[in-house]
Amino acid sequence: MLFRFSLYGFLKNQQYYESFLILAFIQKGMSYTQIGYLISFREICIYLFEVPSGAVADVWGRRRSMILSFFAYIVSFVAFGLGREYWQFFPAMFLFAVGEAFRTGTHKAMIFDWLAQQGRADEKTKVYGFTRAWSQIGSAVSVVIAAALVFISQNYVYIFYFSIIPYVLGVINFLGYPKSLDGATDRRISLREMVRILFGSIKQVIRKPALRGLVVETMCSEGAFKALKDYLQPILKQTALALPMLLALPNEKRTAVLVGIVFFVLHILSGAASRYSHVVVDKARGEDRAARWIWLASIVAYAVLIPVFWGNFMVVAMGVYIVLYMLQNFWRPAQISRFNIHAEAEATATVLSIDSQSQTVATMITAPIVGKAVDWCALYWPDGVAKFIPVGIIGLLATLLGFLANRRCFVRTHEHQSTEERKEE
């Protein structure tokens, strides 16, 4: 099953459009503000489907939910490829959001169920980090393929169509998952049962200080990062256009070469970070302390990014972005393990979907603000990367808030554990 779990991550990350998405939208004539609104719309749709999708997965069956997710992705890729007018991308984003909502949280719950069935529950961080590493390897391979497609075609549209192939293979992979990973398959599909699990999971998050703190951390880390990370693409494009060694190539080919190289290296390093995230946890003597280390490093990285943008140091900006990607991949496996520790087993998928929903809310709010701020800065600094200063500022504010939430969660969790130990005595 480790092979199938890893294959899922590899195929899921064959998103050939991902490294060129912002550039594809710009090619379609969109401004950064319009892109921000489109991303915000996607996050609103994910928000509406996120928690109900987790409840459906816990009751209806997790394999079925994953297959539905991949079919929604496939149709969305077709819609993105055919889209011409701005409004036409909203239905495509809606379908993409359905795919995201029915996927997030569900596959992680399947991994944790399998570990419990195998008596390996104490290997959560290690195994999840291993499978996440294969996701990053998949991303690295997809970047090479996408860069080759853009280099040959000098057009960003075709990468949407090629993304369909690995997702069809992903559906075939799910058919080989054992039925035991569907969850409680003996339960009938019942709206009442779904509502019970849903509100029970929400009650867990509200009542448990640790879960509340973890949700805030997710919003500040992954939610903000999701809105900020794609600005690496236009930074790379501007860098590619300025490099003397690539002047002999047309603009799109120059961009494809540099994006392919940088994102390949980025995903390889991110994969290594995921693979060895358990080492950071071991060194820190626990997931909570490891998360604090990562928060501090993220604060420093975003703080450095601001003067780097101001000084138009494009190559340094790329390096800082790579560091931020690696920190995110150190952090996420530890964060998932922390949720699994505090959530009740029956509603793990639903609680993880609440976690993903919190990320969605943060991205929904952040994306249009960043887009508008970048467009405003571009009026004063049209050339270079100084217009991306809002990316560094908003990232710094988010990580500072996340660090405070982590600190409070760490203290309150250990206070609660001490109280429980005294009661037992």
Side-chain angles (χ1 to χ4, degrees):
M1 281 308 300
L2 282 177
F3 170 77
R4 289 196 178 276
F5 291 152
S6 300
L7 181 61
Y8 154 78
F10 182 87
L11 293 173
K12 181 259 298 181
N13 278 22
Q14 296 303 298
Q15 298 176 343
Y16 303 131
Y17 61 87
E18 184 180 28
S19 302
F20 297 94
L21 184 63
I22 299 295
L23 299 179
F25 287 156
I26 292 173
Q27 181 179 296
K28 296 283 186 178
M30 297 185 203
S31 66
Y32 287 111
T33 302
Q34 288 178 314
I35 294 171
Y37 286 138
L38 193 59
I39 292 174
S40 183
F41 172 76
R42 179 191 68 194
E43 301 306 309
I44 290 171
C45 294
I46 293 174
Y47 179 86
L48 294 175
F49 284 102
E50 190 77 68
V51 175
S53 71
V56 169
D58 281 328
V59 177
W60 184 45
R62 293 166 182 169
R63 288 185 309 162
R64 296 187 186 97
S65 293
M66 295 300 295
I67 291 172
L68 172 64
S69 165
F70 271 45
F71 273 119
Y73 278 127
I74 290 168
V75 179
S76 77
F77 297 150
V78 175
F80 275 123
L82 296 176
R84 294 292 180 269
E85 301 295 329
Y86 181 56
W87 67 267
Q88 293 173 341
F89 291 95
F90 284 91
M93 275 299 190
F94 173 80
L95 290 166
F96 187 89
V98 171
E100 287 283 283
F102 277 85
R103 179 187 63 79
T104 52
T106 303
H107 197 264
K108 301 179 189 74
M110 295 171 79
I111 293 175
F112 293 144
D113 272 2
W114 181 79
L115 288 172
Q117 292 169 14
Q118 299 295 313
R120 299 170 61 181
D122 58 337
E123 298 181 41
K124 295 183 296 293
T125 301
K126 183 177 182 180
V127 170
Y128 180 67
F130 179 81
T131 58
R132 186 177 173 89
W134 273 101
S135 297
Q136 295 301 327
I137 292 171
S139 294
V141 172
S142 74
V143 166
V144 174
I145 296 173
L149 291 171
V150 173
F151 188 89
I152 294 168
S153 67
Q154 299 186 54
N155 192 305
Y156 300 116
V157 174
Y158 298 133
I159 50 182
F160 290 113
Y161 298 126
F162 278 95
S163 296
I164 295 171
I165 299 171
Y167 276 69
V168 172
L169 296 176
V171 171
I172 296 172
N173 183 45
F174 288 133
L175 297 177
Y177 278 40
K179 292 184 178 180
S180 61
L181 297 184
D182 262 331
T185 53
D186 58 329
R187 289 186 289 182
R188 296 177 60 187
I189 300 174
S190 165
L191 178 61
R192 182 177 179 181
E193 179 71 0
M194 292 181 189
V195 171
R196 184 188 71 79
I197 293 175
L198 170 59
F199 282 97
S201 302
I202 293 174
K203 192 181 296 184
Q204 280 189 61
V205 173
I206 292 173
R207 287 183 175 179
K208 288 188 174 183
L211 287 178
R212 289 202 306 270
L214 292 175
V215 166
V216 174
E217 286 188 57
T218 296
M219 293 179 71
C220 296
S221 178
E222 198 147 3
F225 185 74
K226 192 175 179 181
L228 302 174
K229 66 183 180 68
D230 288 334
Y231 284 92
L232 176 58
Q233 296 170 24
I235 292 169
L236 288 173
K237 181 173 182 178
Q238 290 193 224
T239 305
L241 298 181
L243 288 176
M245 68 185 70
L246 298 176
L247 287 177
L249 297 174
N251 290 351
E252 283 73 19
K253 288 192 174 185
R254 275 188 269 173
T255 303
V257 170
L258 190 59
V259 168
I261 293 172
V262 171
F263 272 92
F264 180 81
V265 172
L266 185 153
H267 288 305
I268 291 295
L269 293 177
S270 295
S274 288
R275 178 68 179 84
Y276 295 104
S277 59
H278 69 282
V279 175
V280 177
V281 172
D282 292 341
K283 292 286 185 182
R285 293 176 298 177
E287 284 86 354
D288 288 329
R289 199 180 300 275
R292 293 183 71 185
W293 288 5
I294 296 167
W295 277 115
L296 287 170
S298 299
I299 290 171
V300 173
Y302 278 114
V304 169
L305 204 55
I306 298 170
V308 164
F309 282 144
W310 178 262
N312 204 37
F313 301 119
M314 290 181 280
V315 176
V316 179
M318 289 190 299
V320 176
Y321 251 101
I322 290 173
V323 170
L324 287 168
Y325 266 85
M326 290 183 66
L327 289 172
Q328 193 68 19
N329 283 279
F330 276 127
W331 177 81
R332 190 57 184 167
Q335 181 76 347
I336 292 297
S337 182
R338 293 165 78 199
F339 265 104
N340 190 60
I341 289 168
H342 294 289
E344 295 175 7
E346 178 193 42
T348 302
T350 312
V351 170
L352 288 172
S353 289
I354 293 173
D355 171 53
S356 294
Q357 190 181 44
S358 68
Q359 170 203 133
T360 298
V361 171
T363 307
M364 180 197 314
I365 296 169
T366 307
I369 294 174
V370 177
K372 191 72 176 178
V374 170
D375 274 336
W376 183 81
C377 288
L379 296 175
Y380 299 93
W381 303 297
D383 300 320
V385 294
K387 59 177 170 283
F388 299 115
I389 285 176
V391 173
I393 294 173
I394 292 172
L396 178 60
L397 293 174
T399 49
L400 285 170
L401 181 58
F403 174 74
L404 293 175
N406 172 270
R407 185 177 180 183
R408 186 176 182 185
C409 173
F410 181 82
V411 171
R412 296 192 70 173
T413 298
H414 285 271
E415 285 178 351
H416 177 73
Q417 290 174 347
S418 299
T419 302
E420 292 297 316
E421 289 172 1
R422 286 196 297 269
K423 285 181 181 179
E424 290 177 2
E425 291 175 359

